[in-house]
Amino acid sequence: MSSRFAQVAFRTVVLALAGALAVPAAQASRTGVDFHFGTLGLGLGIDAQVSPYTGFRFGFNRFKTSSDWEEDDLDYEAGIDFDTVHGLLDWHPFGGKFRLTGGVMATDHRIDAAADVEIGDEIGDGQASRNGRLEAEVKFEEWTPYIGTGWDWRFDRSNLEMTLDLGVLARGDPDVELRETSDTGASQQDLNEAEDEIEDEWSDYNLYPVVQFGLLYRF
């Protein structure tokens, strides 16, 4: 996690706590904490429902995994590392379980990948003349809008609720940096073309689907 993102996460948590404490005493029973998991990973959050129709949510998610993909003759091994902090506004148009959600997320979504190169492997429009190694870093926008929908189901005679979110995170086109960590003999033009190919590969994920389940306890 980058230091800049850590600062954003810390400030968001502080604002969330301040917002939760600012909810009027009559509404205090509508403030809660939640644990959630889904396509953004595992996370914790604070929920403040200020009326039967509106509420605010703040929280963070952590997602880490590995994946492989093939580009030309190269097999990339990638580590996927997503950190997300969210600030969301919920609107319950009918005052019930169903809600519409919009907001912004601060993201540190990056993919670090590497591929071993052998003589003759295709790189861009050229070929490697030496055995070597390439490393790639893929990063998405740091501030991204979110829109979605969801439902809250409250268990009978309990402060516990089950939640479901379905939405889309618009992360923008990725920024890719490809570099040689061991000389492959490829020209800079070929490396630039290979970098563009990786960017095209990950541009398919600029709209990131969000599916998230959670358990919410209200005080």
Side-chain angles (χ1 to χ4, degrees):
M1 183 187 298
S2 68
S3 59
R4 181 177 178 183
F5 183 81
Q7 291 174 3
V8 171
F10 176 77
R11 290 171 183 171
T12 301
V13 170
V14 170
L15 289 173
L17 290 172
L21 293 173
V23 176
Q27 299 284 352
S29 62
R30 306 310 298 158
T31 301
V33 295
D34 73 279
F35 166 78
H36 47 263
F37 62 94
T39 55
L40 287 173
L42 300 176
L44 294 172
I46 296 173
D47 184 301
Q49 187 173 358
V50 297
S51 81
Y53 300 97
T54 58
F56 297 93
R57 282 185 289 158
F58 304 90
F60 67 90
N61 290 75
R62 179 88 165 114
F63 178 70
K64 190 169 185 176
T65 189
S66 58
S67 180
D68 300 327
W69 89 89
E70 184 176 333
E71 195 72 52
D72 294 328
D73 295 328
L74 305 180
D75 295 319
Y76 285 90
E77 297 179 355
I80 299 173
D81 198 349
F82 293 171
D83 292 303
T84 310
V85 174
H86 62 260
L88 304 175
L89 170 65
D90 292 326
W91 177 47
H92 298 256
F94 312 113
K97 300 178 180 67
F98 175 75
R99 54 179 158 76
L100 300 172
T101 301
V104 64
M105 296 190 180
T107 65
D108 185 9
H109 288 192
R110 64 178 62 237
I111 299 99
D112 293 306
D116 291 321
V117 180
E118 296 181 353
I119 295 173
D121 283 346
E122 184 177 350
I123 300 177
D125 289 333
Q127 291 183 326
S129 60
R130 300 183 183 89
N131 294 331
R133 186 173 174 85
L134 295 178
E135 290 187 353
E137 182 183 62
V138 183
K139 295 189 295 184
F140 289 89
E141 295 289 340
E142 292 183 349
W143 295 95
T144 58
Y146 171 83
I147 187 169
T149 187
W151 293 263
D152 301 326
W153 295 278
R154 186 172 184 176
F155 294 99
D156 291 340
R157 291 186 292 275
S158 170
N159 289 340
L160 189 65
E161 298 180 13
M162 183 171 62
T163 65
L164 170 63
D165 283 278
L166 302 173
V168 176
L169 183 62
R171 302 190 296 182
D173 290 329
D175 180 32
V176 178
E177 180 183 350
L178 180 67
R179 55 188 176 272
E180 291 179 310
T181 56
S182 179
D183 187 16
T184 65
S187 69
Q188 187 59 51
Q189 180 178 350
D190 290 336
L191 291 172
N192 290 342
E193 290 169 351
E195 188 175 84
D196 291 340
E197 290 171 355
I198 296 173
E199 185 172 313
D200 290 339
E201 175 80 18
W202 285 95
S203 290
D204 294 337
Y205 301 93
N206 57 358
L207 294 177
Y208 188 76
V210 175
V211 179
Q212 188 162 269
F213 299 90
L215 286 176
L216 168 66
Y217 183 81
R218 294 195 186 276
F219 302 109

